[in-house]
Amino acid sequence: MKPKIYVDGEHGTTGLQILERLNGRQDVEVLSIPHAERHSVDARCALLNAADIAILCLPDAAAKEAAAMVEGGTTRLIDASTAHRTDPNWTFGFKELNPDHAQTLAKATRVSNPGCYPTGAIALLRPLRLAGLLAADAFVTVNAVSGYTGGGKGLIAQMEQADHPDAITTTQYLYGTGLSHKHVPEISRYGMLERKPIFAPSVARYPQGMVVQIPFHLDALAASNRSDVHAALADHYAACPGDHVIVRSLEEADAVTRLEANGFAGRDDMELFVFGNEEQINLVARLDNLGKGASGACVQTLDLMVGAEA
């Protein structure tokens, strides 16, 4: 029988994009809740427990409630919220975390999908830590810009509706200026950092796509040159199954004169660059905040769990 899939929160931004990716697939059966019943606890509980795999596209508190509804049952969960990302009882959903992590996800019963910014940051940091090039107590700064769809329907309305009472008319703005963003624990844990990184996010006036930058002086790393850093990234992702993380060559990086933050909009993969010179480097990840940074990653995990991807 086809595995039954239920997206709890299917009418939100992430949920809608997951359903778009599942539309037309013949290997799964998608369960759906009528729009009028989406706030019915009983209706949601019934569907959650009828599903083989449920994807939670909900605020943190609601995601925890949904997880409790299937406690003791057989439903496997993928949580797209922040609620369980550092919970040791949940498997982190970045399938390239380690070369064998895809196999772990395929067998997992509780998976926490990574955040969009952490996907880029962890993708750049973890291979350097595993290769011994970056110390656990290193000073790390993560600078990033995202399209506004990462803020959900509320921010989308503010950006797209000129008559919205809280309309935002600026081109780009910084936020999280108190340096206590909810993504910091996730970046620290899976980036294998003992010292909390400084995380400086911003939002720009375009819908989808993001760039994450982590600059270093080379003498802050146990690397002789930029090639050593590039090799650590390239070797790590060459050992991971699939092709959803692309490490651009140094020649490709040197040919870049400008990198548009929305250049990967609509894609479910991510590209990594090592820019720089003999003294400094800038590690850069470019992805879609709703693709590899959210809905696309959920479906990649789902594919592993239903055996649609090795």
Side-chain angles (χ1 to χ4, degrees), residues 275-294:
F275 295 116
N277 50 51
E278 295 179 357
E279 297 179 353
Q280 301 169 322
I281 60 169
N282 190 19
L283 305 178
V284 174
R286 182 164 68 162
L287 62 153
D288 184 343
N289 55 291
L290 293 183
K292 184 63 171 170

Side-chain angles (χ1 to χ4, degrees), residues 164-192:
H164 191 282
D166 299 315
I168 297 172
T169 58
T170 186
T171 301
Q172 182 172 341
Y173 66 89
L174 301 176
Y175 71 103
T177 53
L179 301 181
S180 57
H181 195 283
K182 65 180 182 179
H183 285 324
V184 171
E186 182 182 350
I187 295 171
S188 298
R189 180 180 178 88
Y190 297 105
M192 303 171 65

Side-chain angles (χ1 to χ4, degrees), residues 2 24 40 53 92 94 138 150 165 171 181 198 229 259 266 273 280 306 308:
K2 298 178 182 179
S40 168
I53 300 174
F92 194 58
F94 183 51
T171 301
H181 195 283
I198 295 174
V229 178
L259 195 71
F273 293 90
Q280 301 169 322
V306 301

Side-chain angles (χ1 to χ4, degrees), residues 12 28 47 54 83 93 109 126 136 174 177 193 206 211 213 217 220 269 275 282 291 293:
V28 297
L47 285 168
T109 60
R126 190 176 179 90
L174 301 176
T177 53
L193 302 176
Y206 62 86
V211 163
Q213 303 182 72
H217 287 276
D269 54 357
F275 295 116
N282 190 19

Side-chain angles (χ1 to χ4, degrees), residues 25-110:
R25 284 183 53 162
Q26 302 300 311
D27 60 328
V28 297
E29 177 185 350
V30 178
L31 307 179
S32 183
I33 189 169
H35 191 272
E37 296 184 29
R38 69 192 188 281
H39 297 305
S40 168
V41 174
D42 290 341
R44 288 176 51 231
C45 186
L47 285 168
L48 282 164
N49 284 280
D52 295 297
I53 300 174
I55 304 176
L56 310 180
C57 301
L58 304 164
D60 287 7
K64 291 179 180 179
E65 291 173 358
M69 291 180 192
V70 300
E71 196 66 41
T74 60
T75 304
R76 303 165 75 189
L77 297 177
I78 302 172
D79 182 11
S81 81
T82 314
H84 300 102
R85 288 188 186 149
T86 57
D87 187 328
N89 296 314
W90 288 64
T91 303
F92 194 58
F94 183 51
K95 70 187 186 75
E96 296 87 1
L97 197 67
N98 298 308
D100 60 353
H101 195 62
Q103 298 175 23
T104 301
L105 285 171
K107 301 173 184 176
T109 60
R110 297 290 184 269

